[in-house]
Amino acid sequence: MIILDGKATSAQIKAEIAEEVQQLKAAGERVPHLAAVLVGEDGASLTYVGSKVKACEQVGFRSTLVQLPVDISEEALLAELDKLNANADIDGYIVQLPLPQHINTEKILLAVDPRKDVDGFHPANFGRMALDMEAFIPATPFGIVELLKRYKVPTAGRHVVVVGRSHIVGRPISILLSQKGEAGNATVTLTHSHTPDLAHFTREADIVVMALGQPEFLKGDMVKEGVAVIDVGITRLKDENAPKGYRIVGDVAYEEVAPKAAYITPVPGGVGPMTIAMLLKNTLLARKWHSGS
């Protein structure tokens, strides 16, 4: 069994990005600049944004945090996005989700300039990705593809079963793995909570991508020997025996599935760290595209 170590791989990617940033500095060019929009003071969102700002510092990016009150109007938030869209000094930006209930999330995400949409959530980027054109790929699917490439997990001609159909993970990864090229050329089945006898599909799969959001859903009897398992889920479960009173688990019952797997991502330390690394990679790409290089 080979563990797909997202923590080590993301550190390697950050080092590669930092090297490119040093080259930009040496040439007297502007370094990439990522902005983050945070509405309110949700604890989890603050943590996520904080980790992204810290990652920017690690690789030498500039970063800007636009922190706005939780009761900001939709119109005022749209005005803030207009400023970011018009600011030539900012290469890309993210709007941290979830937004307060009085704000239409879809309307906000549509207001992001697709050329600065380093989260890859805008329909223009999703459509370009689906057509195999140059685009910002959502960071989590981008990270999964990068892990598969770097660990040389065979995908061509393999049967991939994706469990979960979200626009952020399940649907895009199903498209990416079916496309031509490295970490592609797979036959992909997209399943979800309404798929009858879901275990029938996962048992046939050469590769399973779990993005359902249900802790420890995939059991040992639901996979075959030699499977590759990508676990996107992350849930905090109460555990009085754990030092912190909880434990972090994925969508995969790791102890059951790992002995049968040829490749598997751990939780934590698998797909999660890759997501931030690929957000940085998208920001570097934005910088290159904006400069025409």
Side-chain angles (χ1 to χ4, degrees):
M1 178 188 67
I2 296 173
I3 292 176
L4 306 180
D5 189 337
K7 193 172 181 182
T9 306
S10 68
Q12 184 183 353
I13 292 167
K14 287 177 187 175
E16 293 164 3
I17 293 171
E19 177 62 29
E20 287 202 50
V21 172
Q22 285 302 319
Q23 291 172 9
L24 285 172
K25 284 182 178 177
E29 294 187 31
R30 183 176 61 79
V31 301
H33 187 173
L34 174 68
V37 178
L38 178 61
V39 180
E41 296 185 2
D42 175 75
S45 293
L46 281 166
T47 301
Y48 290 142
V49 170
S51 62
K52 289 165 185 173
V53 169
K54 185 178 178 183
C56 284
E57 292 170 359
Q58 288 174 343
V59 299
F61 285 7
R62 290 177 61 203
S63 64
T64 297
L65 175 59
V66 181
Q67 193 157 6
L68 302 167
V70 71
D71 59 352
I72 189 171
S73 69
E74 190 171 272
E75 291 72 24
L77 178 54
L78 288 167
E80 291 292 336
L81 300 195
D82 285 342
K83 291 179 194 173
L84 291 170
N85 288 338
N87 187 342
D89 188 51
I90 289 175
D91 297 295
Y93 69 94
I94 61 170
V95 179
Q96 185 63 44
L97 303 177
L99 293 169
Q101 287 189 343
H102 68 278
I103 291 174
N104 183 325
T105 299
E106 184 177 301
K107 191 173 181 180
I108 296 304
L109 294 180
L110 282 170
V112 177
D113 185 338
R115 295 168 299 177
K116 296 190 176 189
D117 168 40
V118 288
D119 259 336
F121 292 166
H122 195 284
N125 278 313
F126 194 100
R128 291 178 66 87
M129 176 204 70
L131 293 170
D132 210 3
M133 299 167 68
E134 191 175 73
F136 293 119
I137 299 170
T140 299
F142 198 4
I144 292 169
V145 169
E146 196 68 18
L147 266 181
L148 294 171
K149 284 181 182 177
R150 293 191 181 227
Y151 278 90
K152 295 181 167 49
V153 178
T155 57
R158 302 300 169 100
H159 182 200
V160 177
V161 171
V162 178
V163 185
R165 53 182 168 178
S166 76
H167 295 162
I168 295 172
V169 182
R171 212 171 284 276
I173 195 63
S174 71
I175 293 168
L176 292 167
L177 294 179
S178 68
Q179 289 177 334
K180 293 179 181 178
E182 193 180 0
N185 292 312
T187 299
V188 182
T189 302
L190 181 61
T191 67
H192 44 79
S193 58
H194 290 270
T195 301
D197 194 9
L198 197 147
H200 164 75
F201 294 95
T202 58
R203 285 190 200 103
E204 290 189 342
D206 301 306
I207 300 171
V208 178
V209 180
M210 286 299 303
L212 193 61
Q214 293 190 24
E216 300 182 326
F217 179 89
L218 189 75
K219 308 295 185 186
D221 63 356
M222 295 172 68
V223 296
K224 68 181 183 182
E225 292 285 344
V227 68
V229 180
I230 307 295
D231 190 352
V232 182
I234 185 160
T235 304
R236 183 182 290 189
L237 289 184
K238 284 184 179 179
D239 186 346
E240 293 176 1
N241 297 319
K244 294 183 178 178
Y246 64 86
R247 58 191 176 94
I248 302 292
V249 302
D251 286 357
V252 176
Y254 188 88
E255 298 300 326
E256 290 184 33
V257 174
K260 297 178 79 171
Y263 303 88
I264 192 166
T265 58
V267 176
V271 174
M274 294 297 294
T275 298
I276 290 181
M278 304 319 282
L279 175 67
L280 297 175
K281 191 149 188 167
N282 272 344
T283 305
L284 181 61
L285 286 170
R287 169 71 184 83
K288 290 177 179 178
W289 293 346
H290 293 161
S291 66
S293 61

